[in-house]
Amino acid sequence: MTLPEKLREYVEKFAEEKGLSKKEREALLKKAEEYYETHQVDPWEAIGIVTAQSLGEPATQATLRTFHMAGAAEVSIASGMDRILEIVDGLKKISTPVMFIYLNPPYNKDEEKAREFARSLEEILVMDVATVKEDFMKRTITIVFNEKELKRRGVSKDAVIKKIEGKLKGELDEKTGNYVIKLPKDMSLMKIRKLAQSIERLQISGVKGIKRALVRKEGDEYMITTSGTNLKAILKKKEVDHTRTYSNNIHEVAEVLGIEAARYLIIEELYKAYMGAKLLVDKRHLALVADAMTARGVITPIGRTGIAGKKGSVLARAAFEETNRHLVEASVWNEVDYLKGIVENLIVGLPIKAGTGRVKLKMKLG
Amino acid sequence: MKNGKPLLTQTHVKMLKEGKLTWDQLVKQGVIEYLDPEEEENAYIALTPEEVTPEHTHLEIHPALVLGFGVNLIPWPERNLTTRLLHGSKMGDQGLGLYASNFRIRTDTMSYVLYYPQKPIVRTRVVKYAHLERRPYGQNIVVAVMPYEGYNMSDAIIMNKDSIERALFRAVFFRTYEAVERRYPGGQKDRFEVPSEEVSGYLGEEVYHALGEDGIAIPETRVKGGDALIGRTSPPRFLEDVAHFGIMEEKRRENSVLVRPDEEGYVDTVMITSDENGNRLVKIKLRQEKIPEIGDKFTARMGQKGVIGMIVPHEDMPFTSNGIVPDLIFNSHAFISRMTVSYVLEILGAKAAALEGWDEVDATMGEGMEAEEFEKVLRAHGFRRTGKELLYDGKTGEEIEADIFIGPIYYLRLKHLVSQKYQARARGPVQILTRQPTEGRSREGGIRFGEMERDTLIGHGAAMTLYERLVEESDKTKMLVCEKCGNIGVDDAIRKKRYCPVCGSTKVQEVEVSYAFKLLLDELRSLGIYPRLVLKDKA
């Protein structure tokens, strides 16, 4: 058994740094190979259950601990648990969507430029800078500008008006500074209300879906974190380093960057969540979860709607949840259970096909 | 209770003492008021008369009464951690003693009575007011605080065998068994009698040895688990049974009340009355002696509980230069995190009281005696101020290097006895439906090998261990399966023929499965689902 390329490179680099002789280097490599071999999972070991236990036990402990510390406000652990569930359940709408945008030079070295770019990302709607009022008697829609907000967000009145004019023509009331749109007398009230609402939601500038964008210094460069995500639109911008930018929404990443990227993201996000709760978990367990969730090419949640509900065996599915449904459907579709998994064999009363149950002995002849 | 001054005056107290005034009258007059916890939220209650201000709405009768009854039985409660008091007050309820002076004629389903209950040497005033001096719940014993051969680690305790043989903490356990002569529709009745051999389900002569002619056990007979206490026969369950066979004589069913399988003792009290429907009702109390044994639970009053880890003969116990041998050895490690100061104080106080001949050491909250007084007494009697003494090892006779803290303290025997809890099973009864072992101690059941336990074996890859647990030692059965249609076959032993009842094929194979699976197949068929088994040669 030889080491995988990456590990081998790592060991060689280590040897070089320490200035080992050729003989020592070979000895080290041999030792590393030995170690690698002994630390591999044995054939037919039930890694699924080991993973489930390794992830479940610390999570249970953490939950118990939060209840135990009732009063001592330790919200971070609870929120960490919520995040783990969010990932494992493969939720499409996550509670805190965040994007990490890395920038191309020169933006990543200049704080002012980065800040300016960040501001340009924030989505601004008409309703953020003005109030839209409809008058059903006079059949008019009046846009009352909020000067304070306009200034804070760095939006000019003209830009807003220009955006509105793209939809409907009106005129600026010089006295009040409001923008008034006159509508035909025969327009229905319902239509007026709908029109007003669509004006409210007109986007003036920024990227759709991004609520806030903050500049942060990471190492020696500036980067942007956002609340609200829109990976597809952000990656198109020339200021953005598209090789490193990502969001924490697994479904979005799977769609934009592909399922492999999503797999990697699941591992990293789970790791972050466990580490945040100060729970040490081996990354290989997380990798197995991520593999299982992405193996079908789409994000499959863990649970009865996902992996457990899509098992090949009728008996295994029926043993988990929704027993009646699975049994009835299996009978309707004439399903066959080949007794290949563990649960099926337990139900039927046969030794499981894992661990020592998988091994068969043959007589050595002669 | 006042406008800056307590309504309860010295006059009231004087009149109370002289009997001219009763407590109830004071309550009626509004001098004394009872507050519930929610009312307390809107009251400003002073603890002592000295701290009363015009803002106060009430004055506590005694500062100790801020604590509950259970906590007030603990000596020096103010010197312990709250958690210990909570434990102590909870366990105080479980201490065996003289729980009611009329226990002989009471019919509690379960009750315990201590042989020699004593009033505590160190006690609070509440003990007196609750009349616990006359029906105490523990015994004063001599405790040495030290480890002993590792048999008292992790909250275990060592007990002196000879002390136990001198009836220390010995108790009786009563269980009431009862039976009613029920009336059935159709004018038939149960009957108390010694069942005759014709009765269906007859259990054998031995079982009925304790019964008298009337079918009720004779007092003071020794009975063991499975023996009948009340012989009872019931009419046949279905009238058709009789008609079907054309036999006129009714075949009655055995329906006796038997002693529980893990109990044995003497028939104590037998009571015959009638229930609310006028049916004859018999209650029998079974008396069992419970001697302390390894695994029984004991505690001091301040929540220092433990189970017996070893019973050591008198001669192997450590002893003082005066020849005092402790009844119990308590591990010193139990103090460090729990900080039960009153345990130490109680030993000091009781030791002083024993030397001086005091009847009582007061340990009421806020007014208990102080350690200095005990120290003075101990010194005066030639003992060390700290209560520690030089002890000799009972096994070698050598001096023990460290000084050992030793003295009397009040201990309770708690009602959790191993003899009523331990559980083990190698083989035994199975459930009718699933053919799996029964559940629960009273049914001779096993301990469930649950899903999480199952997962651990899978995790270890221990396939054959798992198979043994779940199939071999549980509900393994042989089942015939038709090779052709996959249905369950039939073995006709009379005609020596094995065949499939559905397709008629005689090609049936014997298959080993768990009975639960066979049951699943049956239930599926009953739902109209047709499960087929496809057989393959074992590779």
Side-chain angles (χ1 to χ4, degrees):
Chain A
M1 173 65 80
T2 48
L3 290 176
E5 211 173 310
K6 252 198 161 165
L7 262 178
R8 199 188 175 86
E9 273 169 26
Y10 177 81
V11 174
E12 271 165 4
K13 207 177 133 204
F14 178 82
E16 208 159 302
E17 273 170 21
K18 296 280 168 185
L20 300 182
S21 70
K22 202 180 172 199
K23 219 172 155 191
E24 285 171 322
R25 194 176 298 192
E26 260 163 33
L28 179 70
L29 214 56
K30 212 179 148 203
K31 198 84 193 164
E33 272 172 24
E34 250 172 58
Y35 245 75
Y36 182 70
E37 207 162 325
T38 50
H39 281 71
Q40 275 186 326
V41 172
D42 292 321
W44 301 112
E45 183 158 350
I47 50 169
I49 277 198
V50 175
T51 291
Q53 289 181 346
S54 306
L55 298 185
E57 193 272 345
T60 316
Q61 289 302 323
T63 318
L64 288 178
R65 204 155 54 219
T66 42
F67 284 127
H68 197 70
M69 295 188 301
E74 194 62 68
V75 208
S76 66
I77 291 176
S79 65
M81 285 310 304
D82 289 347
R83 177 66 185 145
I84 291 169
L85 281 182
E86 220 169 63
I87 300 164
V88 166
D89 289 344
L91 293 189
K92 288 223 165 84
K93 268 202 172 153
I94 59 177
S95 63
T96 47
V98 176
M99 233 184 334
F100 301 89
I101 304 172
Y102 291 87
L103 302 170
N104 279 328
Y107 300 92
N108 63 343
K109 298 290 180 197
D110 188 336
E111 189 176 356
E112 208 35 62
K113 273 185 180 159
R115 218 172 273 285
E116 197 180 306
F117 178 61
R119 203 176 301 136
S120 78
L121 295 179
E122 283 185 31
E123 184 185 19
I124 300 170
L125 303 178
V126 170
M127 60 192 285
D128 289 330
V129 291
T131 325
V132 180
K133 288 178 179 164
E134 65 270 71
D135 189 323
F136 294 119
M137 291 304 291
K138 291 186 200 150
R139 311 263 155 170
T140 56
I141 293 175
T142 314
I143 289 103
V144 184
F145 293 101
N146 184 338
E147 298 288 344
K148 226 168 113 191
E149 278 295 306
L150 281 173
K151 209 169 176 190
R152 196 177 73 80
R153 301 204 182 230
V155 184
S156 76
K157 219 166 175 177
D158 293 338
V160 182
I161 293 170
K162 211 175 159 196
K163 209 78 204 183
I164 298 172
E165 277 175 347
K167 199 171 169 75
L168 268 173
K169 274 257 173 358
E171 52 192 60
L172 199 66
D173 187 333
E174 296 295 345
K175 242 196 298 182
T176 52
N178 294 340
Y179 190 74
V180 185
I181 302 167
K182 287 204 173 88
L183 299 165
K185 289 278 178 234
D186 55 346
M187 196 176 241
S188 76
L189 298 184
M190 177 91 91
K191 227 171 173 182
I192 295 174
R193 166 62 58 91
K194 280 219 172 113
L195 216 65
Q197 281 175 348
S198 69
I199 289 172
E200 269 189 334
R201 297 229 177 79
L202 273 180
Q203 188 187 334
I204 301 159
S205 69
V207 179
K208 199 167 173 259
I210 291 175
K211 286 189 205 90
R212 305 216 54 202
L214 295 169
V215 176
R216 222 176 56 188
K217 192 160 190 186
E218 198 178 275
D220 59 347
E221 64 171 344
Y222 292 97
M223 51 95 62
I224 298 169
T225 52
T226 67
S227 82
T229 64
N230 191 345
L231 201 53
K232 213 171 186 171
I234 291 290
L235 288 183
K236 281 181 191 154
K237 303 228 177 237
K238 65 178 193 323
E239 295 92 340
V240 171
D241 180 357
H242 61 268
T243 59
R244 290 188 289 161
T245 298
Y246 67 99
S247 91
N248 71 343
N249 186 334
I250 294 156
H251 285 276
E252 187 179 39
V253 168
E255 196 184 305
V256 178
L257 298 175
I259 198 75
E260 278 293 331
R263 187 196 90 98
Y264 189 71
L265 185 66
I266 292 174
I267 299 173
E268 288 305 314
E269 286 291 308
L270 278 177
Y271 193 68
K272 238 194 264 170
Y274 270 101
M275 281 309 163
K278 297 209 175 82
L279 304 171
L280 295 177
V281 166
D282 195 303
K283 261 197 180 174
R284 282 168 289 186
H285 295 313
L286 305 176
L288 182 66
V289 171
D291 280 343
M293 286 181 69
T294 52
R296 279 160 234 260
V298 288
I299 306 289
T300 324
I302 290 172
R304 77 166 166 272
T305 52
I307 292 168
K310 292 198 172 98
K311 277 186 192 168
S313 157
V314 201
L315 291 176
R317 269 180 284 133
F320 181 54
E321 270 174 14
E322 300 179 299
T323 310
N324 293 347
R325 202 193 70 164
H326 287 300
L327 289 179
V328 169
E329 274 174 21
S331 74
V332 169
W333 299 109
N334 191 20
E335 273 189 58
V336 180
D337 198 317
Y338 294 96
L339 304 184
K340 286 198 170 142
I342 287 174
V343 187
E344 303 93 283
N345 280 296
L346 283 178
I347 292 172
V348 170
L350 292 173
I352 57 169
K353 299 274 185 293
T356 53
R358 195 70 196 213
V359 185
K360 277 171 196 157
L361 295 181
K362 274 188 181 163
M363 181 98 69
K364 191 175 177 184
L365 298 172
Chain B
M1 285 200 197
K2 75 223 65 72
N3 321 316
K5 266 188 185 149
L7 287 180
L8 187 80
T9 59
Q10 285 303 319
T11 337
H12 284 125
V13 179
K14 217 176 142 196
M15 282 170 81
L16 263 178
K17 270 185 186 157
E18 289 164 5
K20 286 178 190 159
L21 197 66
T22 65
W23 182 271
D24 289 340
Q25 281 172 323
L26 282 177
V27 174
K28 252 183 201 159
Q29 285 170 20
V31 175
I32 292 168
E33 192 184 357
Y34 288 100
L35 290 187
D36 77 19
E38 265 174 52
E39 285 180 293
E40 263 180 57
E41 294 292 323
N42 297 314
Y44 188 30
I45 306 165
L47 277 187
T48 56
E50 291 80 49
E51 68 176 66
V52 169
T53 64
E55 283 83 53
H56 282 98
T57 59
H58 295 81
L59 171 65
E60 199 75 67
I61 286 180
H62 187 277
L65 296 179
V66 294
L67 301 175
F69 174 72
V71 175
N72 259 318
L73 297 181
I74 300 169
W76 293 286
E78 76 276 23
R79 297 181 188 195
N80 287 314
L81 296 180
T82 325
T83 46
R84 288 299 119 195
L85 297 181
L86 254 29
H87 282 119
S89 105
K90 212 168 186 183
M91 286 189 291
D93 303 344
Q94 302 171 4
L96 307 189
L98 190 66
Y99 73 102
S101 48
N102 63 342
F103 70 90
R104 285 182 161 279
I105 56 165
R106 286 172 63 104
T107 55
D108 312 70
T109 344
M110 279 193 279
S111 59
Y112 301 84
V113 176
L114 198 63
Y115 270 29
Y116 299 109
Q118 298 170 345
K119 60 182 177 186
I121 299 173
V122 177
R123 53 187 184 255
T124 61
R125 281 167 62 188
V126 176
V127 171
K128 186 164 84 200
Y129 300 136
H131 306 299
L132 280 175
E133 291 176 347
R134 276 183 285 142
R135 32 182 194 82
Y137 59 115
Q139 285 185 296
N140 295 295
I141 59 172
V142 177
V143 169
V145 179
M146 62 184 273
Y148 186 90
E149 310 261 313
Y151 285 109
N152 63 352
M153 60 191 215
S154 302
D155 270 340
I157 50 174
I158 308 288
M159 266 224 182
N160 187 332
K161 189 167 183 233
D162 292 42
S163 303
I164 292 173
E165 282 166 5
R166 285 179 210 116
L168 184 82
F169 285 124
R170 199 166 284 206
V172 254
F173 168 59
F174 294 104
R175 166 172 251 121
T176 309
Y177 291 84
E178 59 172 81
V180 192
E181 255 183 352
R182 258 196 68 193
R183 254 185 264 270
Y184 294 91
Q188 283 174 303
K189 265 184 83 182
D190 281 343
R191 214 158 51 215
F192 289 151
E193 62 183 356
V194 181
S196 62
E197 275 177 57
E198 293 94 70
V199 170
S200 75
Y202 182 70
L203 294 170
E205 206 185 333
E206 255 307 292
V207 170
Y208 306 109
H209 74 90
L211 304 184
E213 283 168 36
D214 56 357
I216 299 166
I218 297 163
E220 296 307 320
T221 344
R222 187 172 175 80
V223 287
K224 55 182 200 317
D227 287 353
L229 280 179
I230 303 158
R232 179 172 59 180
T233 57
S234 299
R237 218 174 303 221
F238 307 107
L239 289 170
E240 301 96 271
D241 285 3
V242 187
H244 185 79
F245 294 107
I247 309 162
M248 285 319 287
E249 121 191 70
E250 58 172 348
K251 182 118 165 136
R252 296 182 71 85
R253 279 180 303 121
E254 146 73 27
N255 195 11
S256 299
V257 173
L258 308 179
V259 178
R260 291 190 171 211
D262 61 324
E263 291 183 1
E264 65 177 305
Y266 295 89
V267 178
D268 191 73
T269 320
V270 176
M271 281 165 267
I272 306 174
T273 44
S274 57
D275 70 358
E276 64 273 18
N277 300 318
N279 299 322
R280 213 143 73 96
L281 171 74
V282 175
K283 287 195 176 186
I284 292 184
K285 266 171 109 175
L286 188 68
R287 167 164 40 88
Q288 297 164 69
E289 187 175 38
K290 296 289 183 191
I291 302 168
E293 59 181 317
I294 292 179
D296 281 356
K297 194 177 173 189
F298 292 83
T299 185
R301 279 172 293 174
M302 51 297 292
Q304 281 287 16
K305 66 179 171 209
V307 292
I308 299 186
M310 182 53 82
I311 292 171
V312 174
H314 184 273
E315 57 271 26
D316 289 343
M317 294 286 273
F319 54 91
T320 70
S321 50
N322 293 327
I324 300 273
V325 181
D327 298 307
L328 190 147
I329 300 178
F330 179 79
N331 198 320
S332 38
H333 297 283
F335 284 125
I336 32 198
S337 62
R338 302 198 246 265
M339 298 184 274
T340 46
V341 175
S342 68
Y343 193 101
V344 182
L345 274 177
E346 188 181 344
I347 289 185
L348 272 184
K351 202 168 176 179
L355 290 169
E356 198 63 43
W358 294 338
D359 174 58
E360 176 185 351
V361 173
D362 185 28
T364 316
M365 172 182 158
E367 55 186 50
M369 289 173 76
E370 293 294 331
E372 286 75 35
E373 301 173 58
F374 308 141
E375 288 171 359
K376 237 186 273 163
V377 173
L378 287 175
R379 270 228 161 113
H381 285 271
F383 281 90
R384 226 164 299 172
R385 183 178 66 82
T386 53
K388 290 182 185 172
E389 285 182 48
L390 177 75
L391 258 66
Y392 297 88
D393 186 321
K395 285 183 175 168
T396 62
E398 287 171 359
E399 285 178 9
I400 296 172
E401 209 175 305
D403 292 331
I404 305 297
F405 187 58
I406 182 171
I409 182 173
Y410 198 62
Y411 253 77
L412 323 180
R413 184 178 186 194
L414 301 180
K415 65 179 183 190
H416 305 281
L417 313 178
V418 250
S419 62
Q420 295 175 353
K421 286 200 194 260
Y422 74 94
Q423 191 176 3
R425 167 185 170 130
R427 56 178 88 100
V430 291
Q431 280 161 14
I432 307 166
L433 181 68
T434 61
R435 298 200 187 168
Q436 285 167 1
T438 49
E439 205 184 330
R441 200 179 103 92
S442 54
R443 269 166 285 161
E444 233 187 290
I447 301 291
R448 185 180 156 87
F449 188 82
E451 268 175 86
M452 293 172 96
E453 289 76 14
R454 183 205 75 170
D455 288 349
T456 59
L457 286 194
I458 300 175
H460 280 282
M464 302 324 284
T465 315
L466 188 63
Y467 179 72
E468 194 178 6
R469 263 301 123 191
L470 262 31
V471 185
E472 298 268 7
E473 295 187 348
S474 179
D475 57 350
K476 185 173 154 180
T477 29
K478 279 179 184 157
M479 172 172 100
L480 296 178
V481 175
C482 173
E483 279 181 38
K484 259 191 184 156
C485 68
N487 275 296
I488 299 178
V490 171
D491 184 6
D492 189 337
I494 301 170
R495 287 191 287 161
K496 294 208 169 112
K497 228 176 135 187
R498 290 174 157 193
Y499 63 97
C500 169
V502 177
C503 69
S505 161
T506 49
K507 279 192 172 170
V508 287
Q509 292 296 325
E510 211 172 65
V511 178
E512 271 178 6
V513 292
S514 66
Y515 188 80
F517 179 60
K518 194 225 150 209
L519 190 69
L520 173 72
L521 295 180
D522 290 343
E523 288 190 6
L524 286 180
R525 262 189 288 272
S526 76
L527 286 170
I529 296 174
Y530 174 24
R532 260 164 298 185
L533 298 182
V534 182
L535 298 182
K536 218 168 69 178
D537 273 331
K538 242 188 195 172

